Amino acid sequence: MSTLELKAEIHKKIDALDNVSELIDLNLSLDWFMQQKLTDEEKTVLERLNQAKKSADGGTGILHADVMKEAKQWLKR
């Protein structure tokens, strides 16, 4: 079976699901499966991106101008 055929078969099975809780379970299972494929470095980067998004959404992030100002100070040292 080719990759294209296998993807089509999986897609048909997903389309057959109508129960929201089953779709949520499937989505979480796929997320877990994909997470297991990541390297430690990729997991760290994703976690940092998620933390940055939470900070930005919560208004607790650092302004770009402030980051650049501090970076310039470090570069001068």
Side-chain angles (χ1 to χ4, degrees):
M1 179 177 283
S2 72
T3 302
L4 191 59
E5 292 169 329
L6 189 54
K7 286 181 180 183
E9 184 177 326
I10 292 169
H11 187 83
K12 286 179 192 176
K13 290 177 181 177
I14 293 170
D15 278 347
L17 295 174
D18 289 326
N19 184 314
V20 173
S21 65
E22 289 177 346
L23 288 167
I24 290 171
D25 287 346
L26 178 59
N27 188 44
L28 291 171
S29 296
L30 285 171
D31 286 347
W32 178 84
F33 176 79
M34 297 304 290
Q35 191 77 12
Q36 297 307 308
K37 300 290 182 188
L38 298 175
T39 65
D40 288 339
E41 184 177 354
E42 290 168 329
K43 288 178 186 177
T44 300
V45 169
L46 284 176
E47 185 167 323
R48 287 184 182 170
L49 287 172
N50 285 329
Q51 289 173 347
K53 183 180 182 322
K54 286 179 186 176
S55 293
D57 290 346
T60 59
I62 301 171
L63 295 175
H64 176 72
D66 293 340
V67 171
M68 294 307 296
K69 184 178 175 181
E70 185 175 335
K72 287 177 184 177
Q73 290 174 353
W74 280 100
L75 290 173
K76 290 179 183 177
R77 292 181 186 177

Coordinates of all heavy atoms in Angstrom, one line a residue:
M1 N 0.8 -1.2 0.0 CA 0.0 0.0 0.0 C 0.9 1.2 0.0 O 1.8 1.4 0.8 CB -0.9 0.0 1.2 CG -1.8 1.1 1.4 SD -3.0 1.1 2.8 CE -4.1 -0.1 2.2
S2 N 0.6 2.2 -0.9 CA 1.4 3.4 -1.0 C 1.0 4.4 0.2 O 0.0 4.2 0.8 CB 1.1 4.1 -2.3 OG -0.1 4.7 -2.3
T3 N 1.9 5.4 0.3 CA 1.6 6.4 1.4 C 0.3 7.1 1.1 O -0.5 7.4 2.0 CB 2.8 7.4 1.4 OG1 4.0 6.7 1.7 CG2 2.6 8.4 2.5
L4 N 0.1 7.5 -0.2 CA -1.1 8.2 -0.6 C -2.3 7.3 -0.3 O -3.3 7.9 0.3 CB -1.0 8.5 -2.0 CG -2.1 9.5 -2.6 CD1 -2.0 10.8 -1.8 CD2 -1.9 9.7 -4.1
E5 N -2.3 6.1 -0.6 CA -3.4 5.2 -0.3 C -3.7 5.0 1.2 O -4.8 5.1 1.7 CB -3.2 3.8 -0.9 CG -3.2 3.8 -2.4 CD -2.7 2.4 -3.0 OE1 -1.9 1.8 -2.3 OE2 -3.2 2.1 -4.1
L6 N -2.6 4.9 2.0 CA -2.7 4.8 3.4 C -3.3 6.1 4.0 O -4.2 6.0 4.9 CB -1.4 4.5 4.0 CG -1.3 4.1 5.5 CD1 -2.3 3.0 5.8 CD2 0.1 3.7 5.9
K7 N -2.9 7.2 3.6 CA -3.4 8.5 4.0 C -4.9 8.6 3.7 O -5.7 9.1 4.5 CB -2.6 9.7 3.5 CG -1.3 9.9 4.1 CD -0.6 11.1 3.4 CE 0.8 11.3 4.0 NZ 1.4 12.5 3.5
A8 N -5.3 8.2 2.5 CA -6.7 8.2 2.1 C -7.5 7.3 3.0 O -8.6 7.7 3.4 CB -6.8 7.8 0.7
E9 N -7.0 6.2 3.4 CA -7.7 5.2 4.2 C -7.9 5.8 5.6 O -9.0 5.8 6.2 CB -7.0 3.9 4.3 CG -7.7 2.8 5.1 CD -7.0 1.5 5.1 OE1 -6.4 1.2 4.1 OE2 -7.1 0.8 6.1
I10 N -6.8 6.4 6.1 CA -6.9 7.0 7.5 C -7.9 8.2 7.4 O -8.7 8.3 8.4 CB -5.5 7.5 7.9 CG1 -4.6 6.3 8.2 CG2 -5.6 8.4 9.2 CD1 -3.1 6.6 8.4
H11 N -7.9 9.0 6.4 CA -8.8 10.1 6.3 C -10.3 9.7 6.3 O -11.1 10.3 6.9 CB -8.5 10.9 5.0 CG -9.3 12.2 4.8 ND1 -8.9 13.3 5.4 CD2 -10.4 12.4 4.2 CE1 -9.8 14.3 5.1 NE2 -10.7 13.7 4.4
K12 N -10.6 8.6 5.6 CA -11.9 8.0 5.5 C -12.4 7.6 6.9 O -13.5 7.8 7.3 CB -12.0 6.8 4.6 CG -12.0 7.2 3.1 CD -12.0 5.9 2.3 CE -11.7 6.2 0.8 NZ -11.7 5.0 0.0
K13 N -11.5 7.0 7.7 CA -11.8 6.5 9.0 C -12.1 7.7 9.9 O -13.0 7.7 10.7 CB -10.7 5.7 9.6 CG -10.6 4.3 9.0 CD -9.4 3.6 9.5 CE -9.3 2.2 8.8 NZ -8.1 1.4 9.3
I14 N -11.3 8.8 9.8 CA -11.5 10.0 10.6 C -12.8 10.7 10.2 O -13.6 11.1 11.1 CB -10.3 11.0 10.4 CG1 -9.1 10.4 11.0 CG2 -10.7 12.3 11.0 CD1 -7.8 11.2 10.7
D15 N -13.1 10.7 8.9 CA -14.4 11.3 8.4 C -15.6 10.6 9.0 O -16.7 11.1 9.1 CB -14.4 11.4 6.9 CG -13.7 12.6 6.4 OD1 -13.4 13.5 7.1 OD2 -13.4 12.6 5.1
A16 N -15.4 9.3 9.2 CA -16.6 8.5 9.7 C -16.9 8.8 11.2 O -18.0 8.5 11.6 CB -16.3 7.0 9.5
L17 N -16.0 9.4 11.9 CA -16.2 9.7 13.3 C -17.1 11.0 13.4 O -16.9 12.0 12.8 CB -14.9 10.0 14.0 CG -14.0 8.8 14.2 CD1 -12.7 9.3 14.8 CD2 -14.6 7.7 15.0
D18 N -18.2 10.9 14.2 CA -19.1 12.0 14.4 C -19.1 12.5 15.9 O -19.5 13.6 16.2 CB -20.5 11.7 14.0 CG -20.6 11.6 12.5 OD1 -20.0 12.3 11.8 OD2 -21.4 10.7 12.0
N19 N -18.7 11.6 16.8 CA -18.7 11.9 18.2 C -17.5 12.8 18.6 O -16.4 12.5 18.3 CB -18.6 10.5 19.0 CG -18.7 10.7 20.5 OD1 -18.1 11.6 21.0 ND2 -19.5 9.8 21.1
V20 N -17.9 13.9 19.1 CA -16.9 15.0 19.5 C -15.8 14.4 20.4 O -14.6 14.6 20.2 CB -17.5 16.2 20.0 CG1 -16.5 17.2 20.5 CG2 -18.4 16.9 19.0
S21 N -16.2 13.7 21.4 CA -15.3 13.2 22.4 C -14.3 12.2 21.8 O -13.1 12.1 22.1 CB -16.0 12.5 23.6 OG -16.7 11.4 23.2
E22 N -14.8 11.4 20.8 CA -13.9 10.5 20.1 C -12.9 11.3 19.2 O -11.7 10.9 19.1 CB -14.7 9.5 19.2 CG -15.5 8.5 19.9 CD -16.3 7.6 19.0 OE1 -16.5 8.0 17.9 OE2 -16.8 6.6 19.5
L23 N -13.3 12.3 18.6 CA -12.4 13.2 17.8 C -11.4 13.8 18.7 O -10.2 14.0 18.3 CB -13.2 14.2 17.0 CG -14.0 13.7 15.8 CD1 -15.0 14.7 15.3 CD2 -13.1 13.2 14.7
I24 N -11.8 14.3 19.9 CA -10.9 14.9 20.8 C -9.8 13.8 21.3 O -8.6 14.1 21.3 CB -11.6 15.5 22.0 CG1 -12.4 16.7 21.6 CG2 -10.6 15.8 23.2 CD1 -13.4 17.2 22.7
D25 N -10.3 12.6 21.6 CA -9.4 11.5 21.9 C -8.4 11.3 20.8 O -7.2 11.1 21.1 CB -10.1 10.3 22.3 CG -10.9 10.3 23.6 OD1 -10.6 11.3 24.4 OD2 -11.7 9.5 23.9
L26 N -8.9 11.2 19.6 CA -8.0 10.9 18.4 C -7.0 12.1 18.3 O -5.8 11.8 18.1 CB -8.8 10.8 17.2 CG -8.1 10.5 15.9 CD1 -7.2 9.3 16.0 CD2 -9.0 10.5 14.7
N27 N -7.4 13.3 18.4 CA -6.6 14.4 18.3 C -5.5 14.4 19.4 O -4.3 14.6 19.1 CB -7.3 15.8 18.4 CG -6.5 17.0 18.1 OD1 -5.7 17.0 17.1 ND2 -6.6 18.0 18.9
L28 N -5.8 14.1 20.6 CA -4.8 14.0 21.7 C -3.9 12.8 21.4 O -2.7 12.9 21.7 CB -5.5 13.8 23.0 CG -6.3 15.0 23.5 CD1 -7.1 14.7 24.8 CD2 -5.3 16.2 23.8
S29 N -4.4 11.7 20.9 CA -3.5 10.6 20.6 C -2.5 10.9 19.5 O -1.4 10.6 19.6 CB -4.4 9.4 20.1 OG -5.2 8.9 21.1
L30 N -3.0 11.7 18.5 CA -2.1 12.1 17.4 C -1.0 13.1 17.9 O 0.1 13.0 17.5 CB -2.9 12.7 16.2 CG -3.6 11.8 15.4 CD1 -4.5 12.5 14.4 CD2 -2.7 10.8 14.6
D31 N -1.5 14.0 18.8 CA -0.5 14.9 19.4 C 0.6 14.1 20.2 O 1.8 14.4 20.1 CB -1.2 15.9 20.3 CG -2.0 17.0 19.6 OD1 -1.8 17.1 18.4 OD2 -2.8 17.6 20.2
W32 N 0.1 13.2 21.0 CA 1.1 12.4 21.7 C 2.0 11.6 20.8 O 3.2 11.6 21.0 CB 0.3 11.4 22.6 CG 1.3 10.5 23.4 CD1 1.9 10.8 24.6 CD2 1.7 9.2 23.1 NE1 2.6 9.7 25.0 CE2 2.6 8.7 24.1 CE3 1.5 8.4 22.0 CZ2 3.2 7.5 24.0 CZ3 2.1 7.1 21.9 CH2 2.9 6.7 22.9
F33 N 1.5 11.0 19.8 CA 2.3 10.2 18.8 C 3.3 11.1 18.2 O 4.5 10.8 18.1 CB 1.4 9.6 17.7 CG 2.1 8.9 16.7 CD1 2.6 7.6 16.9 CD2 2.3 9.5 15.4 CE1 3.3 6.9 15.9 CE2 3.0 8.8 14.4 CZ 3.5 7.6 14.7
M34 N 2.9 12.3 17.7 CA 3.8 13.2 17.1 C 4.9 13.7 18.1 O 6.1 13.9 17.7 CB 3.1 14.4 16.4 CG 2.1 14.0 15.3 SD 2.9 13.0 14.0 CE 3.9 14.3 13.2
Q35 N 4.5 14.0 19.3 CA 5.4 14.4 20.3 C 6.5 13.4 20.6 O 7.7 13.8 20.8 CB 4.7 14.7 21.6 CG 5.4 15.4 22.7 CD 5.6 16.9 22.4 OE1 4.9 17.5 21.6 NE2 6.5 17.6 23.1
Q36 N 6.2 12.1 20.5 CA 7.2 11.1 20.7 C 8.2 11.0 19.6 O 9.3 10.5 19.8 CB 6.5 9.7 20.8 CG 5.6 9.6 22.0 CD 6.2 10.0 23.3 OE1 7.2 9.5 23.7 NE2 5.6 10.9 24.0
K37 N 7.9 11.6 18.4 CA 8.9 11.6 17.3 C 9.9 12.8 17.4 O 10.9 12.8 16.7 CB 8.1 11.8 16.0 CG 7.1 10.7 15.7 CD 7.8 9.4 15.4 CE 6.8 8.3 15.1 NZ 7.5 7.0 15.0
L38 N 9.6 13.7 18.3 CA 10.5 14.9 18.4 C 11.8 14.6 19.2 O 11.8 13.7 20.1 CB 9.8 16.0 19.1 CG 8.6 16.6 18.5 CD1 7.9 17.6 19.4 CD2 8.9 17.2 17.1
T39 N 12.9 15.3 18.8 CA 14.1 15.1 19.5 C 14.0 16.0 20.8 O 13.1 16.8 20.9 CB 15.3 15.7 18.7 OG1 15.1 17.1 18.5 CG2 15.4 14.9 17.4
D40 N 14.9 15.8 21.7 CA 14.9 16.5 23.0 C 15.0 18.0 22.7 O 14.4 18.9 23.3 CB 16.0 16.1 23.9 CG 15.7 14.7 24.6 OD1 14.5 14.3 24.6 OD2 16.7 14.1 25.0
E41 N 15.9 18.4 21.7 CA 16.1 19.8 21.4 C 14.8 20.4 20.8 O 14.4 21.5 21.2 CB 17.2 19.9 20.3 CG 17.6 21.3 19.9 CD 18.7 21.4 19.0 OE1 19.3 20.4 18.7 OE2 19.0 22.5 18.5
E42 N 14.1 19.6 19.9 CA 12.8 20.1 19.4 C 11.8 20.3 20.5 O 11.0 21.3 20.5 CB 12.3 19.2 18.3 CG 13.1 19.2 17.1 CD 12.8 18.0 16.1 OE1 12.4 16.9 16.6 OE2 12.9 18.2 14.9
K43 N 11.7 19.4 21.4 CA 10.8 19.5 22.6 C 11.1 20.7 23.4 O 10.2 21.4 23.8 CB 10.9 18.2 23.4 CG 10.3 17.0 22.8 CD 10.4 15.8 23.7 CE 9.9 14.5 23.0 NZ 10.1 13.3 23.8
T44 N 12.4 21.0 23.6 CA 12.8 22.2 24.4 C 12.3 23.5 23.7 O 11.8 24.4 24.3 CB 14.3 22.2 24.6 OG1 14.6 21.0 25.4 CG2 14.7 23.4 25.4
V45 N 12.6 23.5 22.4 CA 12.2 24.7 21.6 C 10.7 24.9 21.6 O 10.2 26.0 21.8 CB 12.7 24.6 20.1 CG1 12.1 25.6 19.2 CG2 14.2 24.6 20.1
L46 N 9.9 23.8 21.4 CA 8.5 23.9 21.5 C 8.0 24.4 22.8 O 7.1 25.2 22.9 CB 7.8 22.6 21.1 CG 7.8 22.3 19.6 CD1 7.2 20.9 19.4 CD2 7.0 23.3 18.8
E47 N 8.6 23.9 23.9 CA 8.2 24.3 25.2 C 8.5 25.8 25.4 O 7.7 26.5 26.0 CB 8.9 23.5 26.3 CG 8.4 23.8 27.7 CD 8.9 22.8 28.7 OE1 8.9 21.6 28.4 OE2 9.1 23.3 29.8
R48 N 9.6 26.3 25.0 CA 10.0 27.7 25.1 C 9.0 28.5 24.3 O 8.6 29.6 24.7 CB 11.4 27.9 24.7 CG 12.4 27.4 25.7 CD 13.8 27.7 25.3 NE 14.8 27.2 26.2 CZ 16.1 27.1 26.0 NH1 16.6 27.6 24.9 NH2 16.9 26.6 26.9
L49 N 8.7 28.1 23.1 CA 7.7 28.8 22.3 C 6.3 28.9 23.0 O 5.7 30.0 23.0 CB 7.5 28.2 20.9 CG 8.7 28.4 19.9 CD1 8.5 27.6 18.7 CD2 8.9 29.9 19.6
N50 N 5.9 27.8 23.6 CA 4.6 27.8 24.3 C 4.7 28.8 25.5 O 3.7 29.5 25.8 CB 4.3 26.4 24.7 CG 3.7 25.6 23.6 OD1 3.1 26.1 22.7 ND2 4.0 24.3 23.7
Q51 N 5.8 28.8 26.2 CA 6.0 29.7 27.4 C 6.0 31.1 26.9 O 5.4 32.0 27.5 CB 7.3 29.4 28.1 CG 7.2 28.1 28.9 CD 8.6 27.7 29.5 OE1 9.6 28.3 29.1 NE2 8.6 26.8 30.4
A52 N 6.6 31.4 25.8 CA 6.6 32.8 25.2 C 5.2 33.2 24.8 O 4.9 34.4 25.1 CB 7.6 32.8 24.0
K53 N 4.5 32.3 24.2 CA 3.1 32.7 23.8 C 2.3 33.0 25.1 O 1.5 33.9 25.1 CB 2.5 31.5 23.0 CG 1.1 31.9 22.5 CD 0.5 30.7 21.7 CE -0.9 31.0 21.2 NZ -1.8 31.8 22.0
K54 N 2.4 32.1 26.1 CA 1.6 32.4 27.3 C 2.0 33.7 27.9 O 1.2 34.5 28.4 CB 1.9 31.3 28.3 CG 1.2 30.0 28.0 CD 1.5 28.9 29.0 CE 0.9 27.6 28.6 NZ 1.3 26.5 29.5
S55 N 3.3 34.1 27.9 CA 3.8 35.3 28.5 C 3.2 36.5 27.6 O 2.7 37.5 28.2 CB 5.3 35.4 28.4 OG 5.8 34.5 29.3
A56 N 3.2 36.4 26.3 CA 2.7 37.4 25.5 C 1.2 37.6 25.7 O 0.7 38.7 25.8 CB 3.0 37.1 24.0
D57 N 0.5 36.5 25.7 CA -1.0 36.5 25.9 C -1.4 37.1 27.2 O -2.4 37.7 27.4 CB -1.6 35.1 25.7 CG -1.5 34.6 24.3 OD1 -1.3 35.4 23.4 OD2 -1.8 33.4 24.1
G58 N -0.5 36.8 28.2 CA -0.8 37.2 29.6 C -0.3 38.6 29.9 O -0.4 39.2 31.0
G59 N 0.4 39.2 28.9 CA 0.9 40.6 29.1 C 2.2 40.6 30.0 O 2.5 41.7 30.5
T60 N 2.8 39.5 30.2 CA 4.0 39.5 31.0 C 5.3 39.3 30.3 O 6.3 39.1 30.8 CB 3.9 38.3 32.1 OG1 3.8 37.1 31.3 CG2 2.7 38.5 33.0
G61 N 5.2 39.5 28.9 CA 6.4 39.4 28.1 C 7.3 40.6 28.2 O 7.0 41.6 28.9
I62 N 8.4 40.6 27.5 CA 9.4 41.7 27.5 C 9.3 42.3 26.1 O 9.3 41.6 25.1 CB 10.8 41.2 27.8 CG1 10.9 40.5 29.1 CG2 11.8 42.3 27.7 CD1 12.2 39.8 29.4
L63 N 9.2 43.6 26.1 CA 9.1 44.4 24.9 C 10.4 44.1 24.0 O 11.5 44.0 24.6 CB 9.0 45.9 25.1 CG 7.7 46.3 25.8 CD1 7.7 47.8 26.1 CD2 6.5 45.9 24.9
H64 N 10.2 44.1 22.7 CA 11.3 43.9 21.8 C 12.4 44.9 22.0 O 13.6 44.6 22.0 CB 10.8 43.9 20.4 CG 11.9 43.7 19.3 ND1 12.6 42.6 19.1 CD2 12.4 44.6 18.5 CE1 13.5 42.8 18.2 NE2 13.4 44.0 17.8
A65 N 12.0 46.2 22.1 CA 12.9 47.3 22.3 C 13.8 47.0 23.5 O 15.0 47.3 23.5 CB 12.2 48.6 22.4
D66 N 13.2 46.5 24.6 CA 13.9 46.3 25.9 C 14.9 45.1 25.7 O 16.1 45.2 26.2 CB 13.0 46.0 27.0 CG 12.2 47.2 27.4 OD1 12.5 48.3 27.1 OD2 11.1 46.9 28.0
V67 N 14.5 44.1 24.9 CA 15.4 43.0 24.6 C 16.6 43.5 23.8 O 17.8 43.1 24.1 CB 14.7 41.8 23.9 CG1 15.6 40.8 23.4 CG2 13.6 41.3 24.8
M68 N 16.3 44.3 22.8 CA 17.4 44.8 21.9 C 18.4 45.7 22.7 O 19.6 45.6 22.5 CB 16.8 45.5 20.7 CG 16.0 44.6 19.8 SD 17.0 43.1 19.2 CE 18.3 43.9 18.3
K69 N 17.8 46.5 23.6 CA 18.7 47.4 24.4 C 19.6 46.5 25.3 O 20.8 46.8 25.4 CB 17.8 48.2 25.3 CG 18.5 49.2 26.1 CD 17.5 50.1 26.9 CE 18.3 51.1 27.9 NZ 17.3 51.9 28.6
E70 N 19.1 45.5 25.9 CA 19.9 44.6 26.8 C 20.9 43.9 25.9 O 22.1 43.7 26.3 CB 19.0 43.6 27.5 CG 19.9 42.8 28.5 CD 19.0 41.9 29.4 OE1 17.8 42.2 29.6 OE2 19.5 40.9 29.9
A71 N 20.5 43.4 24.7 CA 21.4 42.7 23.9 C 22.6 43.5 23.4 O 23.8 43.1 23.4 CB 20.7 42.1 22.6
K72 N 22.3 44.8 23.1 CA 23.4 45.7 22.7 C 24.4 45.9 23.9 O 25.6 46.0 23.7 CB 22.8 47.0 22.3 CG 22.1 46.9 20.9 CD 21.5 48.3 20.5 CE 20.8 48.1 19.2 NZ 20.1 49.3 18.8
Q73 N 23.9 46.0 25.1 CA 24.8 46.1 26.3 C 25.7 44.9 26.4 O 26.9 45.1 26.7 CB 24.0 46.3 27.5 CG 23.2 47.6 27.6 CD 22.3 47.7 28.8 OE1 22.1 46.8 29.6 NE2 21.8 48.9 29.1
W74 N 25.1 43.7 26.2 CA 26.0 42.5 26.3 C 27.0 42.4 25.1 O 28.1 41.9 25.3 CB 25.1 41.3 26.2 CG 24.4 41.0 27.6 CD1 23.2 41.3 28.0 CD2 25.1 40.4 28.7 NE1 23.0 40.9 29.3 CE2 24.1 40.3 29.7 CE3 26.3 39.9 28.9 CZ2 24.4 39.8 31.0 CZ3 26.6 39.3 30.2 CH2 25.7 39.3 31.2
L75 N 26.6 42.9 24.0 CA 27.5 42.9 22.8 C 28.7 43.8 23.0 O 29.8 43.6 22.5 CB 26.8 43.2 21.5 CG 25.8 42.2 21.1 CD1 25.0 42.7 19.9 CD2 26.6 40.9 20.7
K76 N 28.5 44.9 23.8 CA 29.6 45.9 24.1 C 30.6 45.3 25.0 O 31.7 45.8 25.1 CB 29.0 47.2 24.6 CG 28.2 47.9 23.6 CD 27.6 49.2 24.2 CE 26.8 50.0 23.2 NZ 26.2 51.2 23.8
R77 N 30.3 44.3 25.8 CA 31.2 43.8 26.9 C 32.3 43.0 26.3 O 32.4 42.4 25.4 CB 30.4 43.0 27.9 CG 29.5 43.9 28.7 CD 28.8 43.1 29.7 NE 27.8 43.9 30.4 CZ 27.0 43.5 31.3 NH1 27.0 42.3 31.7 NH2 26.1 44.3 31.8

